[in-house]
């Protein structure tokens, strides 16, 4: 005799919280995330379906497997995971649980999800982040990203929070330094600015551009000094 789990039919999809690493595709056209534990080898999109990490053909979440997306019920529980050394560069996600799910005491294991909000912490140096920059690691076809301030971006591949949100699509919101970057923000008529950029987003974009300009100027100054130095011999 099989024991069946109780079936739930909520009026609205449940909400959960988790941490993950932001990712940028190698061609720079897509943004996504990857998990910090079991599913870390499989980057996923803002709206995506879970796949079995062991390569089995059953649908996730399977009762006799660990496959499926995972999240916890409580925001504070997920946020506490960011305190550990190996998770300091991760971001906090608020997700909508979609499809079939299995409820546990502390969270869900489920088939599909939509990432609604990603909260980016400070740069590793402690300054407020204005970009998500190449973290020096990745997965096949994907670069891992980490929060970076204007002074630490330098020549690394980087995107601003609003650009990451636009690349992720599906209404993703990205919060960094107390501001929220989301597609569809109001832009004053006649400014010639792209849709989705408000004042906080423009500040972040300007800081990122200024950081790159400062880096290039420092390189030019160094080349100029080297050139003059070699001519004195």
């Amino acid at each position: 005799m099989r024991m069946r789990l109780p079936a739930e039919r909520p009026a609205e999809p449940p909400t959960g919280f988790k941490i993950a690493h932001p990712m940028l595709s190698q061609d720079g056209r897509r943004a996504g995330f990857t998990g910090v534990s079991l599913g870390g080898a499989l980057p996923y999109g803002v709206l995506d379906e879970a796949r079995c990490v062991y390569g089995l053909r059953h649908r996730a979440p399977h009762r006799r497997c660990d496959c499926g997306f995972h999240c916890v019920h409580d925001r504070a529980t997920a946020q506490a995971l960011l305190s550990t050394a190996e998770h300091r560069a991760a971001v906090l996600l608020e997700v909508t649980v979609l499809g079939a799910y299995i409820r546990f005491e502390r969270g869900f294991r489920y088939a599909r999800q939509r990432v609604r909000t990603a909260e980016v912490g400070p740069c590793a140096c402690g300054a407020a982040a204005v970009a998500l920059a190449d973290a020096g690691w990745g997965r096949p076809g994907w670069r891992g990203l980490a929060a970076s301030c204007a002074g630490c971006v330098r020549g690394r591949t980087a995107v601003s929070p609003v650009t990451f949100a636009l690349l992720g699509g599906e209404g993703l919101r990205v919060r960094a330094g107390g501001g929220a970057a989301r597609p569809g923000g109001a832009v004053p008529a006649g400014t010639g600015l792209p849709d989705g950029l408000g004042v906080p987003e423009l500040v972040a974009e300007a800081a990122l551009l200024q950081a790159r300009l400062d880096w290039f100027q420092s390189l030019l100054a160094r080349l100029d000094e080297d050139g003059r130095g070699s001519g004195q011999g």
Side-chain angles (χ1 to χ4, degrees), residues 2-233:
R2 283 188 173 182
M3 296 293 293
R4 290 190 176 183
L5 295 173
E8 296 186 31
R9 292 179 175 82
E12 295 183 356
T15 296
F17 301 89
K18 62 194 300 181
I19 64 172
H21 294 290
M23 307 289 285
L24 181 68
S25 64
Q26 191 170 1
D27 59 10
R29 297 180 179 181
R30 293 176 294 157
F33 303 92
T34 192
V36 297
S37 56
L38 182 65
L42 300 175
Y44 54 85
V46 174
L47 176 63
D48 213 337
E49 186 169 346
R51 304 180 297 280
C52 180
V53 295
Y54 304 110
L56 301 178
R57 296 183 179 180
H58 55 239
R59 292 184 178 181
H62 196 278
R63 290 179 59 186
R64 297 182 180 179
C65 187
D66 296 327
C67 61
F69 290 120
H70 295 71
C71 72
V72 295
H73 300 303
D74 186 54
R75 173 191 175 89
T77 301
Q79 200 164 20
L81 298 174
L82 297 173
S83 299
T84 61
E86 62 270 28
H87 298 156
R88 289 289 179 94
V91 298
L92 178 66
L93 304 182
E94 180 182 348
V95 301
T96 298
V97 175
L98 301 172
Y101 61 82
I102 300 174
R103 181 188 290 271
F104 296 93
E105 181 180 359
R106 300 183 63 185
F108 298 99
R109 183 160 63 91
Y110 50 103
R112 300 179 67 238
Q113 77 175 4
R114 182 191 301 273
V115 181
R116 296 166 56 183
T117 303
E119 295 188 13
V120 180
C123 177
C125 72
V130 299
L132 291 165
D134 192 340
W137 63 273
R139 301 286 182 264
W142 292 86
R143 302 173 187 265
L145 303 179
S148 179
C149 68
C152 293
V153 171
R154 297 184 178 274
R156 291 185 292 165
T157 298
V159 293
S160 69
V162 70
T163 299
F164 186 88
L166 289 167
L167 292 174
E170 301 294 339
L172 173 66
R173 295 177 295 171
V174 181
R175 295 194 179 101
R182 76 175 76 185
V187 178
T191 59
L193 300 174
D195 292 339
L197 296 183
V199 173
E201 292 79 25
L202 287 174
V203 171
E205 292 282 354
L208 179 56
L209 290 173
Q210 185 62 52
R212 291 189 181 281
L213 179 60
D214 291 342
W215 181 73
F216 280 117
Q217 287 179 333
S218 68
L219 285 182
L220 289 173
R222 190 181 308 169
L223 290 172
D224 185 53
E225 290 176 0
D226 291 344
R228 286 183 297 177
S230 60
Q232 291 176 354

